[in-house]
Amino acid sequence: MSLLKQLIEIQDNKKNIAVCSNLINNHEYTGNLKRVKKEFDMEKSKFKNNESEMSNLRNKYQMASSNLNNDKDELEKIKFELYNNAGSDLKLIDALQKKFNKKQEGIKIVDNQVLKLLEQEEKLSSEKESLKIKLSKLKNDFYTYKNTEGKKINDAREKIKKSEEAIKELEKLIPVDILEIFNKICSSKGTGAAELRDNICSGCKVKVSSMTIDNVNKQQRIVYCDNCGRIIYCNEKKNF
């Protein structure tokens, strides 16, 4: 591998490290996890409130049903007394009839309450099922996203490790003075070396001068791009 290729490979590995570091430090990942977790907690709170409402509703229903049964028993007693014990006592008949009518109206009211409670329970039960499905989906989304993104981050860490090892090995092959020049250019321009393709610098996309091409052909030790100053040729064996 030529010296220039080694320098370009170093900067490619540095670029890979930067990309992977950005992925690891990307706050969007943490933000998305927090958002899904927050939504899950909100739906979970709704689910608990639903269960609490259902419990209170059942208690009301049981109480109303018990009252309804008691009222019906009392109505039957009044009816029995009216038709069997009142005889021809008009005053008693009138009182029992009024009591019967009042109790019957009360039963209708309680009966309507029981029906409304049943309707409310059905509605809450439907909401509970919807919440249960939504909670399950949010939970799956959370862990799927966490596992998927977690794998990306682990892969990125592994790539950084390999790139750092590759850079260390490549730097051993490059003369110290050339490496210092390369790193200095990298610090100011982001990249320190570029290939020359059809007399055009791949770093700045500008055609170099004939003199620069001549220096490359003469195998000068280091040749820089006229426009951007990146290394476009370097020869380890050539001396100044």
Side-chain angles (χ1 to χ4, degrees), residues 13 17 159-169:
N13 276 290
I17 289 171
K159 286 178 182 177
I160 287 174
K161 184 180 176 182
K162 288 180 179 178
S163 290
E164 287 174 343
E165 290 172 355
I167 289 170
K168 285 180 183 178
E169 292 303 313

Side-chain angles (χ1 to χ4, degrees), residues 54-158:
M54 288 273 286
S55 179
N56 292 333
L57 200 62
R58 288 192 187 102
N59 290 334
K60 288 179 180 179
Y61 174 79
Q62 288 174 358
M63 188 178 294
S65 295
S66 177
N67 290 337
L68 185 62
N69 290 331
N70 290 336
D71 286 345
K72 285 180 178 179
D73 288 340
E74 287 184 30
L75 187 67
E76 287 300 316
K77 288 178 184 178
I78 295 169
K79 187 178 178 181
F80 180 84
E81 191 174 350
L82 180 63
Y83 292 109
N84 295 282
N85 298 330
S88 59
D89 187 341
L90 295 177
K91 191 175 180 181
L92 179 58
I93 291 171
D94 184 56
L96 288 171
Q97 187 63 53
K98 286 179 180 179
K99 191 176 181 181
F100 181 88
N101 293 340
K102 187 177 180 181
K103 182 60 67 176
Q104 199 170 43
E105 285 298 317
I107 287 173
K108 285 181 181 178
I109 292 170
V110 176
D111 203 25
N112 286 333
Q113 288 175 347
V114 169
L115 286 173
K116 285 181 181 178
L117 289 169
L118 285 171
E119 288 173 358
Q120 289 174 18
E121 184 182 19
E122 186 178 353
K123 183 181 177 183
L124 285 172
S125 181
S126 177
E127 288 175 359
K128 183 179 179 180
E129 285 304 311
S130 297
L131 287 168
K132 192 183 289 186
I133 292 168
K134 192 170 184 180
L135 280 170
S136 178
K137 184 179 182 303
L138 285 170
K139 186 177 180 180
N140 289 335
D141 288 349
F142 177 84
Y143 285 109
T144 298
Y145 182 76
K146 185 179 179 182
N147 291 335
T148 302
E149 295 303 309
K151 186 178 183 304
K152 287 182 184 177
I153 289 172
N154 289 334
D155 288 346
R157 289 195 178 106
E158 189 62 29

